[in-house]
């Protein structure tokens, strides 16, 4: 647990973290941590003029909040700046390292400070890693105002933070830093601790590799500067970076947002966009076999009988990747995605399946009619199992017009409504002809 006392007046007459306690050998990202909101880059939708957190800072007030955003977007720094501007004690807990005992001790200290007229900000990093009981431990103290709670998370608070705690805090969404914000971060680093020159190509590569993460940018810039003997160029950045890295959380929001984008691009027949999202996921480290399973789902859900070859190709791509692995097998996945995005679409089978499932749940376990039951023994035949069943292959056109395949006394519903696209248009026409034969048989 880290606790800071009430800070002193800083530059511009504001309360600020001066960085005096930051060691010279600390990581560059720590040494460049902003001391005032004027030095804070990005998140202008929150801290720009007349924006919500700017108004809070201006008034020197705080309320409990959850800061939700990708890594390296300034959640911890922003919380510190707001606490400093409000003149509050700063107490920091990490959900990875802390437990209920640490929360209890922090609250006891906050209560003692409150008795002396001091307010306390209790900051919890990675709050989503606390379980329900640990999150519940904050509730009474937030309710009483003993602490102002600020939680930081990279995960969707709707799923990872208790509803009771969310109801007492406002959620602010932080965004990945834009290129111009990262440019400003580089300028500040080069003008300050690093005192180095960098060419334009190296700048662009650094920004690309950072992927919206200021901390990653500064860590890479610091390593590159240590290797440099003169101006930092693109080759030096590439050497320092090694393998490229993209922001991709295999179990979190980024994961589900990207697979959702891939699925919707396929459904929308946007071939190039579908390939883009496929490559984003593979480049970010997603298991290709997971993608293969989802592609099979897309084939049944969104293409269906409009082009049954889609399911065959999706299964073949899965099998190809399973046999070949990376990188050879990934091309088969791309082939399947491109095909599914290109062909006619129909969700008629998906809709019919959902409707039939709901109907079965509503109507219960109705008995199978006697004429549809199998009769492998003499006893079953004597009980009229299979009696009067019409064998379709013995009927004209191999169709028993007027035959019922539903439980007795059940009004037959209609689930499957084929589209007019692809092969399903032919299926629709054939089913219409068969229904006409049923109508003729019923009226005969």
């Amino acid at each position: 647990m880290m606790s800071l006392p009430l800070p002193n007046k800083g530059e511009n007459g504001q309360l600020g973290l001066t960085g005096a306690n930051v060691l010279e050998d600390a990581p560059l990202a720590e040494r460049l941590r902003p001391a005032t909101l004027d030095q804070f880059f990005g998140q202008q939708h929150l801290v720009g003029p007349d924006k919500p957190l700017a108004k809070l800072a201006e008034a020197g007030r705080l309320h409990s909040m959850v800061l939700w955003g990708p890594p390296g977007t300034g959640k911890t720094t922003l919380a510190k700046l707001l606490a400093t501007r409000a003149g509050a004690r700063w107490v920091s807990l990490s959900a990875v390292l802390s437990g209920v005992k640490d929360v209890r001790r922090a609250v006891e200290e906050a209560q003692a400070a409150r008795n002396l007229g001091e307010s306390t900000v209790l900051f919890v990093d990675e709050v989503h890693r606390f379980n329900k009981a640990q999150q519940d431990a904050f509730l009474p103290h937030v309710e009483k105002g003993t602490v102002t709670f600020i939680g930081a998370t990279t995960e969707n608070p709707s799923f990872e933070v208790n509803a009771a705690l969310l109801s007492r805090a406002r959620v602010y969404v932080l965004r990945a830093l834009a290129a111009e914000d990262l440019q400003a971060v580089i300028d500040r680093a080069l003008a300050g601790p690093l005192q180095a020159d960098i060419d334009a190509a190296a700048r662009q590569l650094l920004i690309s590799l950072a992927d919206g993460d200021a901390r990653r940018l500064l860590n890479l810039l610091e390593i590159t500067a240590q290797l440099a003997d003169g101006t930092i160029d693109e080759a030096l950045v590439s050497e320092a970076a090694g393998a490229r890295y993209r922001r991709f959380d295999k179990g979190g929001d980024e994961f589900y947002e990207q697979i959702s984008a891939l699925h919707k691009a396929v459904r929308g027949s946007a071939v190039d966009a579908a390939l883009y999202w496929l490559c984003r996921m593979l480049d970010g480290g997603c298991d290709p076999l997971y993608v293969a399973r989802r592609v099979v789902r897309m084939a049944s859900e969104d293409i269906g009988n409009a082009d049954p070859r889609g399911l065959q190709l999706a299964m073949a791509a899965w099998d190809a990747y399973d046999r070949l692995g990376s990188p050879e097998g990934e091309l088969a996945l791309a082939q399947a995605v491109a095909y599914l995005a290109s062909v006619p679409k129909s969700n008629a089978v998906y809709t019919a399946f959902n409707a039939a499932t709901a109907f079965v749940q509503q109507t219960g376990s109705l008995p199978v009619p006697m004429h549809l039951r199998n009769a492998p023994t003499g006893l079953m035949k004597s009980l009229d199992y299979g009696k009067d069943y019409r064998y379709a292959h013995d009927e004209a056109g191999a169709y028993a017009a007027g035959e019922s395949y539903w439980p007795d006394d059940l009004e037959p519903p209609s689930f499957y409504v084929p589209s007019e696209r692809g092969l399903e248009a032919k299926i629709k026409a054939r089913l219409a002809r068969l229904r006409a034969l049923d109508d003729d048989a019923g009226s005969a």
Side-chain angles (χ1 to χ4, degrees):
M1 181 178 72
M2 182 178 72
S3 177
L4 294 179
L6 198 68
N8 296 319
K9 289 281 186 180
E11 56 183 295
N12 300 325
Q14 292 184 320
L15 288 166
L17 298 175
T18 63
N21 295 324
V22 178
L23 299 177
E24 290 185 2
D25 61 351
L28 180 61
E30 183 64 24
R31 284 182 282 154
L32 282 182
R33 193 180 292 276
T36 68
L37 280 176
D38 293 337
Q39 301 171 353
F40 186 81
F41 297 114
Q43 316 311 330
Q44 288 303 297
H45 63 293
L46 297 178
V47 299
D50 297 324
K51 297 302 181 180
L53 295 183
K55 291 180 178 179
L56 280 181
E58 182 68 25
R61 293 185 289 104
L62 270 184
H63 56 240
S64 292
M65 65 184 73
V66 174
L67 302 177
W68 172 30
T73 52
K75 296 184 291 294
T76 302
T77 297
L78 182 56
K80 279 186 176 181
L81 293 176
L82 293 173
T84 302
R85 185 66 184 85
R89 293 176 63 253
W90 170 266
V91 179
S92 177
L93 298 177
S94 169
V96 176
L97 303 174
S98 306
V100 173
K101 181 178 179 181
D102 300 296
V103 174
R104 187 179 300 115
R105 184 169 71 252
V107 169
E108 290 173 354
E109 293 177 1
Q111 184 59 60
R114 191 183 188 194
N115 294 338
L116 298 174
E118 297 181 12
S119 60
T120 298
V121 166
L122 178 56
F123 176 78
V124 181
D125 195 19
E126 298 191 79
V127 64
H128 59 275
R129 294 185 181 273
F130 270 150
N131 61 34
K132 185 179 185 300
Q134 290 169 316
Q135 291 185 27
D136 283 344
F138 296 110
L139 294 177
H141 313 296
V142 173
E143 190 76 31
K144 294 177 183 176
T146 306
V147 297
T148 298
F149 170 84
I150 301 182
T153 179
T154 57
E155 303 295 329
N156 191 329
S158 300
F159 306 120
E160 304 295 340
V161 179
N162 288 355
L165 187 55
L166 276 182
S167 70
R168 294 163 173 81
R170 181 171 176 180
V171 176
Y172 293 100
V173 180
L174 280 72
R175 302 168 182 165
L177 268 66
E180 56 268 25
D181 297 322
L182 296 175
Q183 288 276 20
V185 172
I186 293 175
D187 289 339
R188 186 172 175 221
L190 296 178
L194 294 186
Q195 296 292 320
D197 295 322
I198 185 170
D199 65 29
R203 276 180 177 269
Q204 291 306 315
L205 181 55
L206 276 170
I207 290 169
S208 174
L209 292 169
D211 203 22
D213 184 331
R215 185 186 303 109
R216 188 188 306 161
L217 173 76
L218 290 172
N219 289 343
L220 181 55
L221 180 58
E222 184 174 25
I223 294 170
T224 306
Q226 291 169 353
L227 298 175
D229 184 15
T231 299
I232 298 172
D233 60 19
E234 187 176 18
L236 198 60
V237 174
S238 296
E239 179 185 346
R244 282 175 173 259
Y245 176 85
R246 292 287 179 263
R247 187 172 57 251
F248 190 83
D249 182 353
K250 295 183 183 180
D253 286 344
E254 286 288 329
F255 179 89
Y256 293 108
E257 288 168 1
Q258 291 186 26
I259 193 62
S260 174
L262 171 60
H263 196 151
K264 288 179 172 65
V266 168
R267 180 184 297 148
S269 298
V271 183
D272 293 332
L275 289 171
Y276 168 80
W277 289 114
L278 170 67
C279 292
R280 274 284 300 274
M281 297 190 74
L282 295 177
D283 181 62
C286 178
D287 181 1
L289 288 175
Y290 171 81
V291 176
R293 291 192 296 271
R294 288 300 297 259
V295 169
V296 169
R297 167 74 183 204
M298 296 171 203
S300 290
E301 179 178 339
D302 292 295
I303 287 83
N305 287 335
D307 191 338
R309 292 171 297 185
L311 180 57
Q312 296 172 355
L313 186 58
M315 291 299 298
W318 187 348
D319 185 52
Y321 184 84
D322 204 27
R323 290 169 182 266
L324 298 177
S326 293
E328 291 86 353
E330 293 172 353
L331 182 58
L333 297 179
Q335 180 185 353
V337 165
Y339 185 85
L340 295 182
S342 303
V343 298
K345 305 296 187 294
S346 172
N347 71 341
V349 171
Y350 175 64
T351 302
F353 176 74
N354 289 338
T357 299
F359 185 78
V360 166
Q361 293 170 349
Q362 293 168 3
T363 54
S365 302
L366 300 174
V368 177
M370 298 302 289
H371 72 285
L372 296 181
R373 300 187 186 190
N374 197 24
T377 68
L379 174 62
M380 298 170 83
K381 289 180 181 178
S382 70
L383 294 174
D384 291 337
Y385 279 43
K387 183 181 180 181
D388 298 328
Y389 168 66
R390 295 166 61 190
Y391 187 59
H393 293 286
D394 291 340
E395 303 274 345
Y399 183 69
E403 178 70 302
S404 173
Y405 298 93
W406 293 92
D408 294 332
D409 302 322
L410 181 66
E411 183 67 27
S414 178
F415 301 131
Y416 183 44
V417 183
S419 71
E420 298 282 0
R421 296 178 291 279
L423 177 63
E424 211 164 35
K426 296 182 178 180
I427 294 173
K428 184 174 185 177
R430 182 175 187 275
L431 292 180
R433 289 195 299 272
L434 297 180
R435 291 192 182 102
L437 292 175
D438 288 337
D439 292 340
D440 291 342
S443 61

